[in-house]
Amino acid sequence: MDNKVKYFTDNCWKDVFQHVNNAVFYIDKAAVECLHWYTGDNTIKQLKYAGVIAVRELLMDNFRGAEVEKARKAVFVYTSANSDFYRHTLETIIDLNRFQECTVICAAHSSVLKYSSDSKSADIDSYDCLKHDIIRWMSSRLEEEFDQEPVVNIMFRPIFIASINENLFVTPPFWKIMPPFSTEDHCDEFNENIDHFVSSLHSMFTNFNLREDIYYCGQLSENVAEKLEKLPAAVDRRKRLTGKTTGVSLILVDRTLDLCVASSHNTESLLGKILSTLPRLPGHQNDIAVNMTALGPDIDGVENNPRYSAPGCLASNDSNMINQLMKNKQKDVLITLHKLLSDILLAKESPKTRIATRITAHSLEKLVHKLRNVDDLSLILDSSKKLQQILAVIQALKSNKTSQIELIISLEKLILQNLAVSRDSSSILTQLSNIIKTRATRGLSIENLLGLLVYIYALAGTEIHFLEQQEKQLEEALAEAIYEDGKHDDKLTPASDSPMMNLSSELFGKRILTEGTSTQIANDIMVKLHRIAEMRKSLQKYKSLMLKPSPQEMAQCIGILQQLVMDLLDPDRPEIPDLQCKTFSRITAGFNLLLKGRTKQHPLDNDYVIIYVLGGVVAEEIKIVQDMIVSKKPSSQVIIAGSRLLSPCDVTNHILLKHSGSK
């Protein structure tokens, strides 16, 4: 399956590269991110090799740099199904230039795009309408200089996958997809995005030449499964493949069923620590920005100032390091990185570095400084990608957020044990109200505390009911904290990079800061927390995330993805009532089941399994799942996928504060 995913992305991008010679290359952020992982952080180098004369970012309302003097050819790559882009942005860019040839590569199929032209009938294919308009726009600019007709190509290429490694991929164009708290939260843009996602899945399976059996857990997953089941093109494809013995099981899971694992900082995965502490690479949702100034000259005011150097990142053509960051223990990763740095230094015939008995981020940093002092630029350039990944680990482990995160982890452990033992008599909300009031002395921000609230309510679910008085105290403490921190933010300059300034803008939006608005915001948050707690109420087997086998044992948090994969890999193949099957090739599947002496199908009946989490996956559950796969060695290949790689801060900012339907 990893080869099939690679072959699929190869097909998409190779076609793109064949058209870019002598062209201005316009590309949107989601496509950039897909290309970033596809090229292993060599995007510009490969585009230049393919003959691109200039690269520009496609933005809906920003046309700075869109005009390229003397350019006669353009290639546009756009991953959204938003027809307004083509109707306004594309027209504006064409109007700013004098292109003789335009190639538009749409990641949205013509059946999804819904583009219409004022000068063409609504019954005409959307790509044909678009081509007609582009020719008209180009002609109006060329008629004074050229006699020949403009050349326009519209191509469909389902660009939506970014492969992190051979067993994990994300889908940048759909990073905003998050299961809503209720069906009332659906909007036209959301539904349009879902239709585009379903169409993209169909395109992927078409390329795989496999029939899919669709399973789901959660309301949005059921919606996606139903749309994919009934999509006419997918129905036709499955009919053509009837009788084919090889298939793929697509398992869709709603992220909002388990925001407990997603909001937790407690991880053994170094990748999780990196995502929690380092900033995202600008314009990206799945890679991080590494400060590379530690390898630069030691000049006053320059070192440790990222403005003086381009950031590093994790993406690489070699997935070995990203695999280690996901799977291996921190101690083992540090030993590997120490050996890597020692080997790089040996290449310059430096004295052999003594093997440290206890390797830390500090000892790695000393080797990095030693490498910088060798004063050999070629040595650093040859090892650039390894050094970027090593610095990512160093900066994550030495982050000034570390003590804050350690405190949060200790509070998460306290919450888990308290809820598991005390149940409905728990006083954890009273304790948290006091922590909110004393947050400044503890070094905790509102963002940290909101993350803890998501953790508590997602963990408690509908099993545990908090006292109304405790919830009222919590809401009052939260309102007061929001107001106090909001007043502090008002004193910051608009250009401030303070996380408090950013969080304040999320909380208040265009609302004026008053005690009344703070109270309303606190009430809105409590309403969403209650919805988070209710997300698993319809489940049967996976209703609880807490496991406490006996009074003597410590309670554990077992996430839904972990529980699901444990059941899937169980050789006894137990019933999974919370995992529903939407469609499958009944004739072939039924015959195979009879041969195996069973009456019900199972996802592992197929050779390939893709578990896709709508809303994103977190590094810790990726590690747990991949460890189980290595241990159980199933006959089927299992791939984990999701809308994006999530960090705990993403849960606070993009789910609790920015969720569909929020004010």
Side-chain angles (χ1 to χ4, degrees), residues 69-80:
E69 190 176 355
K70 296 182 180 180
R72 294 293 176 260
K73 180 180 176 183
V75 174
F76 298 86
V77 180
Y78 194 61
T79 58
S80 172

Side-chain angles (χ1 to χ4, degrees), residues 478-539:
L478 196 56
E480 184 179 343
I482 290 169
Y483 181 65
E484 288 177 354
D485 290 356
K487 285 195 301 183
H488 175 264
D489 292 351
D490 281 346
K491 298 175 183 178
L492 299 173
T493 63
S496 172
D497 292 330
S498 166
M500 288 305 302
M501 184 72 178
N502 298 332
L503 185 61
S504 179
S505 64
E506 301 290 355
L507 286 168
F508 290 98
K510 296 180 180 179
R511 290 182 281 189
I512 298 171
L513 171 62
T514 65
E515 291 185 14
T517 53
S518 299
T519 300
Q520 183 58 54
I521 290 168
N523 180 261
D524 292 345
I525 289 172
M526 293 302 296
V527 168
K528 290 179 183 178
L529 290 172
H530 286 144
R531 289 182 177 179
I532 287 171
E534 293 173 352
M535 295 308 294
R536 294 190 304 278
K537 68 180 179 181
S538 63
L539 300 185

Side-chain angles (χ1 to χ4, degrees), residues 31-48:
V32 166
E33 191 161 9
C34 292
L35 187 55
H36 171 74
W37 287 97
Y38 174 71
T39 62
D41 186 33
N42 283 308
T43 298
I44 296 299
K45 182 179 179 181
Q46 291 203 18
L47 287 174
K48 185 177 180 181

Side-chain angles (χ1 to χ4, degrees), residues 95 144 156 180 235 267 288 350 420 426 470 596 600-601 655:
D95 190 55
E144 298 175 3
F156 167 62
V235 172
T267 177
I288 47 86
S350 299
S426 171
Q470 288 188 29
K596 296 172 184 176
K600 289 191 176 182
Q601 100 184 97
I655 299 176

